Structures are given as structure tokens and as C-alpha cells.
Amino acid sequence: MTSIYTIEKTKKITFIIMSCLAITFTFTLIYFASIEGISATVLKEVEAVISDEEIDNLITDPVIQTLLQEESQDISAINLNDSDLPLKSKGQVVKKISENFSIKEIQVVTSKVKKGITPEDKSEIMDMITNRLSEEELTAIKVIAIQEMTKK
């Protein structure tokens, strides 16, 4: 009688552990899939805000000039892995943005960009971004956005 009880208890514990592992695995997959989707959305929003004038200003940035001299004369060919910039990929951009901005703030900015951004909106967004991100992080985000624009 005791051994049957022990076997049943072991089966229940095993079932609970396996269920928890399956749920954890599923949520992990969902998390990584959503990060990729968010990163694409964030970069599209940054692309929409970057003007030709800002691209010209970015090209004259000393950090970018150094990378352009080392790599090539094309900003889309810069390998950020070889740079000193803190962000090197879309995933890192999303992580940084999610650490520094609330979901509500991201939604507000996204809706403004989708509806059409006014100069006042652009100024407000840039103020918010420059207050929370370093100049190097912002430069890296712009380079990644430009590289994504040129892939299309």
C-alpha cells in the first residue's frame, strides 16, 4: 500500500515538473519571437523619423567618420561589431529601449508616427530619447536604422 502511494505521488510530482517545464519553454519561445517583432517595429519607427539632413549629420559624426575610414565610405556597410558603439544589433536596440521607456510611451510614439509626425512631435520625441539614451546609443540606433533601410 505504501509503495503504490509513493509511486502515485512520484507520478504527480513528475507530471507537475514536466508541465512547468513545458510552460516555461513555451513562454521563452513567445518572448524571443516577440522581441524580434518589436525590434522590427522600433527600427521602422526610427527610420520614419530620420531625415536626409540627420543622415548627413550622422555621416559627419566623428565616431561614424572613424568607422567609415576603417570600413568603407558607405554607412550601410559599417560592421558595428568592430565599433566601440554600445549597441550592435536590432535585438540590443529593443532591449535598451524596453529598459528605458515604458510600454505606454512606446505606444504613444508609435501612434504619433503612424498618424503622421509634426515637427513639434518630432522635437518632443527627440527630447525624450536624448534625455534617456547616451549620444553613442543614439548614434548606434541611427546607424542600425539606416542599415535596415538600405536592406529593403
Side-chain angles (χ1 to χ4, degrees):
M1 192 76 159
T2 308
S3 64
I4 292 175
Y5 176 73
T6 306
I7 292 172
E8 289 298 318
K9 190 174 181 181
T10 304
K11 285 182 181 180
K12 285 181 183 180
I13 291 172
T14 303
F15 176 75
I16 291 170
I17 290 172
M18 294 302 285
S19 296
C20 289
L21 288 174
I23 290 169
T24 302
F25 180 72
T26 301
F27 281 116
T28 302
L29 289 177
I30 290 170
Y31 170 77
F32 284 115
S34 64
I35 287 293
E36 185 62 32
I38 291 170
S39 68
T41 302
V42 167
L43 287 175
K44 283 180 187 174
E45 304 308 326
V46 172
E47 288 171 19
V49 178
I50 296 176
S51 67
D52 290 338
E53 180 183 329
E54 288 175 321
I55 291 173
D56 292 338
N57 289 340
L58 186 62
I59 291 173
T60 61
D61 182 288
V63 174
I64 300 303
Q65 278 297 310
T66 303
L67 289 171
L68 287 173
Q69 290 171 0
E70 292 172 2
E71 298 282 330
S72 69
Q73 292 300 314
D74 185 11
I75 199 165
S76 63
I78 292 174
N79 182 355
L80 291 176
N81 291 325
D82 297 337
S83 75
D84 292 333
L85 293 172
L87 305 173
K88 312 222 186 266
S89 68
K90 291 189 304 186
Q92 289 178 347
V93 168
V94 171
K95 182 178 179 190
K96 187 65 179 173
I97 288 173
S98 66
E99 289 172 353
N100 290 291
F101 300 94
S102 70
I103 292 173
K104 181 72 174 160
E105 289 171 322
I106 294 170
Q107 289 172 339
V108 167
V109 170
T110 302
S111 70
K112 283 182 181 182
V113 171
K114 285 181 181 176
K115 291 177 184 173
I117 193 163
T118 66
E120 293 82 21
D121 289 339
K122 185 176 180 180
S123 176
E124 180 183 319
I125 292 168
M126 288 308 293
D127 287 343
M128 183 173 60
I129 290 171
T130 55
N131 287 333
R132 298 192 194 169
L133 298 175
S134 70
E135 190 63 36
E136 293 82 18
E137 291 166 337
L138 192 54
T139 299
I141 290 171
K142 288 178 181 178
V143 170
I144 292 169
I146 291 168
Q147 290 178 338
E148 288 298 311
M149 287 180 351
T150 58
K151 284 183 182 179
K152 296 174 183 171

